[in-house]
Amino acid sequence: MLKKGLSLGLDIGYGAVKVVTERSSLVFPSVCGHARPFKFGAEDITARHPGEQLQDDAGSWFVGDLALTQLPPGELLRLRGRTADEEALGNAFRVRMLKTALSKLLPGYSDGEAVHLRLAVGLPVDHMTDAPALKETLQGTHLVRTDATHLVAHVSEVMVMPQPVGTIYAQSLTATGEVNPRHTYVRTGVVDVGTYTVDLALDDDGEFVGAESGSVEGGVSSVLERVAGVLEQEHRQKIPPRLLEGVLQTGMFSARGTVIDYRAVVEQSLEPLRSAILNLMSDKWKTGATVDVIYLSGGGAPLVAGAVKSLYPQTVVLPEPQFANARGYLRYALFTALQALKV
């Protein structure tokens, strides 16, 4: 059981929460809802979704896959961008995601044992004005009480950066937080394709270039909505999110035991997203002639890679692109810790 401090790269996306530590990584859907009594099989369901029953001052919650499988769609809460009251709504949601992540990472704690943390997190490029409030919300002491753990998290430091900058740190720093000598590019771009936003970031020899960075609303969710519209019209019922994601990945849907080919529908549905990304890249980077390398990250990276590479051939799709930002956040947290030791 962990007794020392823990550095954590935490990417609280609009579709999924990605967590990376020096020892492990995990991902779960970024969704929650007020808990309901189980109708049947409580023990089996709890065992299948450990750490996803959370208690806080606002009540009892189902989080992640447990929420998706046990709650009706109308009761699910998600982040979808800026809220009317970011502190009370958006950041309160992010705290629940942090607590769930810790519950999954550190099962078995009891009696409020203490864990000391350093966090590195991100926000969409155009939402960085919300960074001070997010930092204030996450820093400090948090009681984590779930079906899997009972601990007190003491967050001593929170680093908030533009979301896709994590991808740059994932390449420019090593797994131990050292400067990566193999990353020799001067001007590095990132296209981060998320669930509800697409973010661009440009780094010029270690300096974030705000004028050539930005966000556009409507990521992979816009594609899923179009595919869902077609399937729901043809089959006259709502399609569960997990099945829709499968259609997006494979182009196939099993209806009444018969597999139907929807690859043409998926391709048509992807075109607006690909166009939006290329328009944003053109607006910020023009032809891309001055950008040495472009890293493509985020869960939607494979869906748009061909279109992006056709106009920007210096594009590289990172391995496990969904974890690229969280991986970079962790490496930056380790880098700052090393720098502090050298002072």
Side-chain angles (χ1 to χ4, degrees), residues 1-340:
M1 190 173 291
L2 181 75
K3 296 295 182 184
K4 297 189 297 182
L6 175 69
S7 292
L8 195 71
L10 180 65
D11 182 7
I12 305 175
Y14 294 144
V17 176
K18 285 79 63 177
V19 189
V20 178
T21 73
E22 293 180 84
R23 297 177 177 85
S24 61
S25 62
L26 62 90
V27 59
F28 59 91
S30 185
V31 60
C32 68
H34 287 284
R36 286 183 166 197
F38 294 112
K39 295 179 179 178
F40 177 75
E43 290 186 6
D44 289 342
I45 294 171
T46 298
R48 195 174 297 120
H49 304 287
E52 295 187 349
Q53 296 178 57
L54 174 71
Q55 297 176 34
D56 64 13
D57 292 341
S60 298
W61 301 86
F62 289 167
V63 184
D65 284 311
L66 178 63
L68 289 178
T69 58
Q70 298 299 319
L71 298 177
E75 295 184 15
L76 297 176
L77 304 178
R78 300 176 183 267
L79 283 173
R80 295 186 182 271
R82 282 184 171 139
T83 59
D85 187 340
E86 192 68 7
E87 175 68 20
L89 300 175
N91 287 345
F93 182 96
R94 290 181 174 96
V95 170
R96 288 189 195 105
M97 297 302 105
L98 167 62
K99 290 181 176 182
T100 303
L102 293 176
S103 175
K104 288 175 166 292
L105 285 170
L106 305 171
Y109 278 70
S110 61
D111 301 323
E113 293 179 79
V115 175
H116 296 272
L117 303 172
R118 297 171 69 250
L119 295 180
V121 301
L123 283 171
V125 174
D126 289 349
H127 295 191
M128 280 302 293
T129 54
D130 298 325
L134 176 60
K135 182 174 180 178
E136 183 178 354
T137 299
L138 294 179
Q139 197 160 321
T141 300
H142 302 280
L143 174 64
V144 181
R145 187 189 292 273
T146 74
D147 58 286
T149 196
H150 176 203
L151 59 86
V152 176
H154 299 277
V155 182
S156 60
E157 186 177 2
V158 177
M159 293 150 271
V160 184
M161 66 193 75
Q163 213 154 276
V165 170
T167 292
I168 296 174
Y169 288 136
Q171 300 302 111
S172 62
L173 300 173
T174 68
T176 57
E178 303 280 359
V179 173
N180 181 5
R182 296 184 178 181
H183 182 84
T184 58
Y185 302 109
V186 176
R187 286 172 60 85
T188 303
V190 176
V191 180
D192 179 20
V193 187
T195 300
Y196 292 105
T197 62
V198 176
D199 288 282
L200 261 63
L202 185 73
D203 176 276
D204 190 344
D205 200 20
E207 182 176 349
F208 176 74
V209 184
E212 296 182 66
S213 305
S215 308
V216 63
E217 301 292 330
V220 177
S221 64
S222 63
V223 184
L224 287 170
E225 286 173 5
R226 292 184 181 92
V227 173
V230 173
L231 267 63
E232 288 167 11
Q233 184 176 22
E234 292 189 6
H235 301 288
R236 295 183 293 174
Q237 71 174 71
K238 290 281 186 182
I239 309 300
R242 282 188 173 278
L243 296 183
L244 285 174
E245 289 171 5
V247 176
L248 190 58
Q249 299 299 324
T250 67
M252 302 295 175
F253 178 67
S254 178
R256 301 174 185 86
T258 300
V259 177
I260 304 173
D261 189 340
Y262 282 100
R263 283 176 292 184
V265 171
V266 171
E267 279 300 306
Q268 273 189 327
S269 300
L270 278 166
E271 282 309 306
L273 174 61
R274 290 167 176 162
S275 295
I277 291 171
L278 293 174
N279 287 340
L280 182 61
M281 295 176 74
S282 176
D283 177 56
K284 297 297 183 180
W285 301 338
K286 309 309 180 205
T287 65
T290 64
V291 183
D292 298 323
V293 66
I294 297 171
Y295 294 127
L296 194 56
S297 64
L303 300 172
V304 303
V308 174
K309 284 183 176 182
S310 67
L311 294 183
Y312 298 89
Q314 71 271 50
T315 298
V316 177
V317 181
L318 295 183
E320 295 186 299
Q322 188 178 31
F323 283 98
N325 285 329
R327 192 160 56 238
Y329 299 160
L330 172 65
R331 293 183 180 189
Y332 181 75
L334 297 174
F335 170 79
T336 59
L338 288 175
Q339 299 311 301

